[in-house]
Amino acid sequence: MRYNMTCQLSKENLPEHIAIIMDGNGRWAKEKNRPRLFGHNAGMKTLRKIVKASSDAGIKILTVYAFSTENWKRSQEEVDGLMNIAVEYFKKEVGELHKNNVKIQVIGDIAGLYPKVQDAARKAMETTKDNTGLIFNVALNYGGRNDIVYAVKALMEKGVLPEEVTEERLNAELYTKGLPDPDLLIRTSGESRLSNFMLWQTAYTEFFVIDTYWPDFDQEAYYHLIEAYQQRHRRFGTA
Ligand code: IPE
Ligand code: IPE
Ligand code: MG
């Protein structure tokens, strides 16, 4: 399936970088008396649609929070299931994403993932690395604090002196190096917190929390939020 470009959104003031905390899979499944993994599988389908909707809308960068450094605290069954879904997603989707010129990047502590997840992620990144369309960041084993600690380590390994440390240099060592900060952050399922997502990068990001659980989120709701973002007045500390 080729993505089409029939999006009705105004191109004016379109967010360049959208970040999404895909939350509520477990509660969605619970309401249906189904296991949590049923919710995660449904969430994967939503992700497929939202990636396409982003590409169609001409969004340059989409970053989704798929697994946090704290999510290892869940049951072994759920963690294993989520890792299997990640492998399945990379294997199944890479062909279509590649056809549509999407560049996949996994951000987070990749070395801490199961080897099979690392392999699938690296293959997806390698296949799509020269693509020039949507940059699609999948945050896996990602933590905002871990991101900053790794950046500090990288600066120290390069022998950067204290007086040479600047926001720009630290920014250039984050997992999101080279990318602008998110303009818009969406969190589904009604929780109003960052849960350790992109702590540094969201300094001036516009937040939208919606009650919909991630598996029920769709293109219409997504474009509605983008339109709401287009109405916001960003000041960045100015008067
Ligand atoms: C988001 O859904 C997916 C991951 C964190 C991996 P949850 O699994 O957090 O669902 P809820 O918040 O428990 O409903
Ligand atoms: C954040 O959601 C992580 C992801 C969506 C991957 P959580 O469900 O883990 O966050 P908390 O525990 O509700 O803060
Ligand atoms: Mg949750």
Side-chain angles (χ1 to χ4, degrees):
M1 174 182 55
R2 282 279 165 143
Y3 295 170
N4 60 61
M5 296 296 288
T6 53
C7 164
Q8 301 301 311
L9 283 169
S10 158
K11 293 282 171 241
E12 209 172 301
N13 199 20
L14 205 61
E16 195 178 356
H17 184 175
I18 298 180
I20 305 181
I21 301 176
M22 308 183 289
D23 198 16
N25 294 347
R27 280 162 284 164
W28 180 87
K30 191 167 190 228
E31 282 187 5
K32 296 181 157 42
N33 291 312
R34 302 296 298 266
R36 293 180 63 84
L37 283 171
F38 180 71
H40 295 314
N41 272 304
M44 182 170 71
K45 291 182 189 133
T46 302
L47 179 59
R48 191 177 291 144
K49 289 185 221 156
I50 295 305
V51 172
K52 178 184 183 304
S54 303
S55 189
D56 287 348
I59 303 299
K60 292 208 173 74
I61 308 152
L62 173 70
T63 302
V64 299
Y65 203 9
F67 193 88
S68 75
T69 47
E70 288 72 50
N71 287 148
W72 297 107
K73 295 176 195 162
R74 297 188 179 195
S75 72
Q76 194 62 45
E77 187 192 0
E78 185 170 357
V79 169
D80 288 351
L82 283 164
M83 292 301 142
N84 288 339
I85 287 172
V87 171
E88 190 191 326
Y89 184 83
F90 288 126
K91 287 191 177 164
K92 265 199 190 163
E93 293 302 304
V94 67
E96 168 136 346
L97 293 170
H98 187 42
K99 250 193 287 168
N100 286 290
N101 202 22
V102 175
K103 180 177 176 173
I104 305 172
Q105 301 189 138
V106 175
I107 63 167
D109 186 3
I110 299 180
L113 291 164
Y114 296 173
K116 65 180 177 186
V117 186
Q118 293 188 38
D119 284 352
R122 292 211 169 92
K123 279 192 189 117
M125 289 193 277
E126 177 60 28
T127 305
T128 62
K129 71 178 191 313
D130 296 322
N131 288 346
T132 55
L134 176 74
I135 295 174
F136 174 38
N137 295 320
V138 182
L140 262 183
N141 198 16
Y142 178 90
R145 290 181 174 176
N146 170 270
D147 198 354
I148 295 166
V149 167
Y150 270 67
V152 170
K153 281 188 186 169
L155 289 178
M156 294 181 84
E157 275 163 13
K158 287 178 180 169
V160 175
L161 298 169
E163 60 270 27
E164 294 168 345
V165 177
T166 60
E167 291 184 12
E168 287 71 26
R169 287 192 86 156
L170 197 142
N171 197 44
E173 301 295 345
L174 295 170
Y175 292 126
T176 48
K177 59 176 83 62
L179 300 175
D181 290 339
D183 299 295
L184 158 59
L185 171 74
I186 297 167
R187 184 167 186 154
T188 56
S189 90
E191 309 290 5
S192 306
R193 55 178 173 263
L194 276 174
S195 302
N196 203 13
F197 188 45
M198 297 183 114
L199 302 177
W200 172 283
Q201 297 90 335
T202 52
Y204 274 100
T205 301
E206 296 291 328
F207 283 22
F208 288 85
V209 171
I210 56 158
D211 286 337
T212 313
Y213 293 140
W214 177 250
D216 287 331
F217 191 62
D218 60 12
Q219 171 173 314
E220 194 185 342
Y222 185 44
Y223 285 178
H224 188 73
L225 290 172
I226 294 174
E227 279 169 352
Y229 163 85
Q230 288 173 313
Q231 302 304 318
R232 286 213 185 161
H233 179 46
R234 302 177 76 187
R235 281 187 284 278
F236 299 99
T238 62

